[in-house]
Amino acid sequence: MVNQFDFRLLATDGLARRGQMTTPHGIVQTPAFMPVGTQGAVKGMSVRDLRENGAEIILANTYHLYLRPGDRLIARRGGLHRFIGWNGPILTDSGGYQAFSLGPRRRITEDGVCFRSHLDGSEHLLTPELAVDIQARLGSDVAMVLDECLGYPAAEDEARRSMARTLRWAARSHDRLLSLRSRTADHETDVDPTPVVINPGQAQFGIVQGSVYPNLRRESADATRAMDFDAYAIGGLSVGEPTDVMYEAVAATAALLPVDRPRYLMGTGTPLDLVECVARGIDLFDCVLPTRNARNGQLFTRRGPLNIKNARYAEDDRPIDEECGCYTCRRHSRAYLRHLFLAKEINASTLNTLHNLHFYLDTLVRIRDAIVFGSFESLKKTLHQSYSLRLLAHDADD
Amino acid sequence: MVNQFDFRLLATDGLARRGQMTTPHGIVQTPAFMPVGTQGAVKGMSVRDLRENGAEIILANTYHLYLRPGDRLIARRGGLHRFIGWNGPILTDSGGYQAFSLGPRRRITEDGVCFRSHLDGSEHLLTPELAVDIQARLGSDVAMVLDECLGYPAAEDEARRSMARTLRWAARSHDRLLSLRSRTADHETDVDPTPVVINPGQAQFGIVQGSVYPNLRRESADATRAMDFDAYAIGGLSVGEPTDVMYEAVAATAALLPVDRPRYLMGTGTPLDLVECVARGIDLFDCVLPTRNARNGQLFTRRGPLNIKNARYAEDDRPIDEECGCYTCRRHSRAYLRHLFLAKEINASTLNTLHNLHFYLDTLVRIRDAIVFGSFESLKKTLHQSYSLRLLAHDADD
């Protein structure tokens, strides 16, 4: 029984949207945050932890899984859901962002991205078609098209050329998916019996590029919409630009996207970024911040971030966040968590990650409730009081 | 409401004993395995994981906690149970074994062990009295006396001198505990308000030494028993001697210990060691083997150990152990666990540890049941078929 991909708008408060995204593996309440499971695992979190924290969808990285253990191996295991033991919705990125991040180890041509593996130096050409095929074999619920992700700043002519290429790649990606969908089982030959399409209900999202140039963003949005993707993402942000520039680009681009499809802001952000971008009409987020920072000892609380390494917590018997209901806060003190962190115990990573993800997912719960009850502006103000732009320098007890 | 330390023998099968050890923080069914939580955490396991796996008592290391975060800090937090969030029984070693393991960084005198911290090189003198005081401040349910742990082989005269010193240290440890117990609160001065005794019901175990020499073991057992400890441990084994030599020393020593007190074999061992030493009358075990080997990819199964790195598991959709009911086995395949291990994901450590500890704790359940039902010999045979002495070279599917 395959659910068709679908999105319903349930309520709005200003530009903020409360919705429901249906995927072949279940429903996602939006706005939603997707924990990042790069290699098919959210670092430090079991599937049960994710469920108990309220995660409804996770993200996995095509680049990493393609190189190891390989998309064909995963397809032979029945697809990514079965392989990793998570039967809820999964979104996979296209692999483009990681490939671009390789710097001198990659070269971009009209064909695709030529790169050397970070694992063994082997050469690979990731084309838009291959990115579609890999994700078809992974069987994620949402596949992203291959796009070119520019850094910041980028000159306008460079941004235009890159945006135009992303559009041509989007068309190729769309064509490839249609061709895969029409394939029959006889394409799975004895020579390579790897299944081609694991998840027939897989959706495909287009990605709007154009750096920080409103005219390019408009051109990209119009042309991408014309291809009629299941939904649209905003790419090329959170790449080093000032926050106000990002917020402006998000607002301008979100306004160009159809109201009846989810809008996904890729790779963002701080708790403040989430609420500010929901305020500009974004429905989906992913970011390594809560998980990575947890491993580095930065913990998010309702009063702002705190760094558990800090000597002031050595004899602090309070939980990380007195209002938090997560397992870590119900069970352990700051003093103990500081000890685990300084002692380099694995448990520091797992307990901190559990808390930070709970904070993020709970923030989204509060955002969704606020939209329904018309109190979104007031929630936004509350979050502003705790989370300034000085995120990394600030401490909850300062 | 403090429970007094107590031990009741419930059933026997040959020399194997089924008992119940009562401690201030609860009851432990014996024979029991104590997961090792060196720094106040069983690596990769939450308290909930431990409980769900059936752990009833854990071990923590005095040496590590004394150096970081410090026994006084822990006492000010209300003791080790509160500090780490585990309200079940805890046994603490004396710190001696770790200090002795420091090799050139330690020197033994009649006074105690002089050592340099592995953390910052600072000098410390661990006396029998200090080991008692530290453990009183930690507030564990069972404290071990400071002993001298010789390596293997040791000449008889060296073993005799060392055994004799351990006896003198045991007497000093026993005296110190009696003196602490008789202290009143006015010893907690304003200058150092750290509580002296956290857990008034704390038991103290003596340790029998004597290397592999039956006459020394007898002398040590007789003299240690004469001090009337709450129970007795067998130390100085699992230090490099052949397995049959260890089994023989265990049998000889266990026979010298009182039947109405638990017998603890320190730092042992493989699944086979457990069953063989239960067969010789041992009630308590601790070992880093299941947790450390889990992190190195060696997993225990009912058919023997397997190494998850092995290429043969790349596309193996079975759980680690098809008869195992642990979270890892219910949820994940060997193929996925191999991927996590090769990808160096934290989750490889946590999922593997969860399984290995479940295997150990479940083996003890089977041992306890077998003793009650008189089928211990048959269980021992079964375990022998799966676990040979070639533990590390062997693979479950060979």
Side-chain angles (χ1 to χ4, degrees), chain A residues 40 44 77 315 317 336 347, chain B residues 40 44 76-77 315 317 336 347:
Chain A
R77 311 266 69 68
E315 307 221 9
D317 295 324
Y336 180 60
N347 302 29
Chain B
R76 288 192 294 272
R77 309 270 66 68
E315 309 220 7
D317 296 323
Y336 180 59
N347 302 28

Side-chain angles (χ1 to χ4, degrees), chain A residues 113-329:
Chain A
V113 195
C114 199
F115 67 90
R116 284 187 178 282
S117 158
H118 72 288
L119 297 175
D120 62 4
S122 57
E123 253 194 28
H124 301 264
L125 174 64
L126 182 63
T127 63
E129 291 81 6
L130 180 58
V132 170
D133 291 0
I134 295 171
Q135 293 177 84
R137 280 190 284 264
L138 295 177
S140 54
D141 297 279
V142 175
M144 303 303 299
V145 297
L146 187 68
D147 63 331
E148 183 175 344
C149 184
L150 278 184
Y152 176 87
E156 184 168 351
D157 59 337
E158 190 195 356
R160 172 177 297 281
R161 272 197 304 274
S162 167
M163 180 273 287
R165 176 180 287 152
T166 288
L167 284 177
R168 292 190 297 275
W169 284 4
R172 286 166 58 187
S173 303
H174 196 57
D175 288 352
R176 182 62 166 202
L177 187 67
L178 294 180
S179 132
L180 282 189
R181 280 180 182 162
S182 65
R183 276 197 187 190
T184 57
D186 64 60
H187 286 260
E188 294 163 22
T189 65
D190 282 342
V191 181
D192 179 6
T194 306
V196 176
V197 174
I198 291 289
N199 182 354
Q202 184 182 59
Q204 189 182 45
F205 285 12
I207 303 176
V208 177
Q209 287 287 354
S211 186
V212 296
Y213 303 101
N215 54 323
L216 299 187
R217 286 276 168 190
R218 171 171 292 279
E219 205 174 307
S220 177
D222 289 349
T224 310
R225 283 185 65 166
M227 295 180 215
D228 195 28
F229 285 101
D230 291 303
Y232 302 90
I234 303 176
L237 294 177
S238 285
V239 290
E241 74 283 5
T243 307
D244 54 343
V245 170
M246 177 183 84
Y247 290 170
E248 209 171 304
V250 167
T253 312
L256 302 168
L257 298 177
V259 293
D260 63 345
R261 315 262 165 113
R263 299 154 179 176
Y264 165 29
L265 177 60
M266 302 177 81
T268 301
T270 69
L272 208 55
D273 291 340
L274 300 190
V275 74
E276 283 296 345
C277 294
V278 166
R280 288 161 175 79
I282 298 299
D283 307 299
L284 292 169
F285 299 91
D286 78 284
C287 194
V288 295
L289 203 64
T291 41
R292 179 177 294 164
N293 289 20
R295 299 196 300 281
N296 296 329
Q298 191 190 46
L299 304 176
F300 295 97
T301 81
R302 278 159 189 71
R303 299 188 56 209
L306 65 80
N307 199 315
I308 200 68
K309 282 192 291 276
N310 201 314
R312 73 185 350 155
Y313 303 125
E315 307 221 9
D316 190 335
D317 295 324
R318 292 174 295 173
I320 300 167
D321 183 339
E322 285 171 304
E323 293 170 61
C324 179
C326 83
Y327 173 82
T328 304
C329 285

Side-chain angles (χ1 to χ4, degrees), chain B residues 90 111 225 254 303 340 367 394:
Chain B
I90 302 176
D111 230 23
R225 282 185 66 165
R303 298 187 56 211
L340 292 180
I367 286 174
H394 179 75

Side-chain angles (χ1 to χ4, degrees), chain B residues 13 46 49 112 126 146 247 261 304 325:
Chain B
D13 185 357
S46 69
D49 292 336
L126 182 64
L146 188 66
Y247 291 169
R261 314 261 166 115

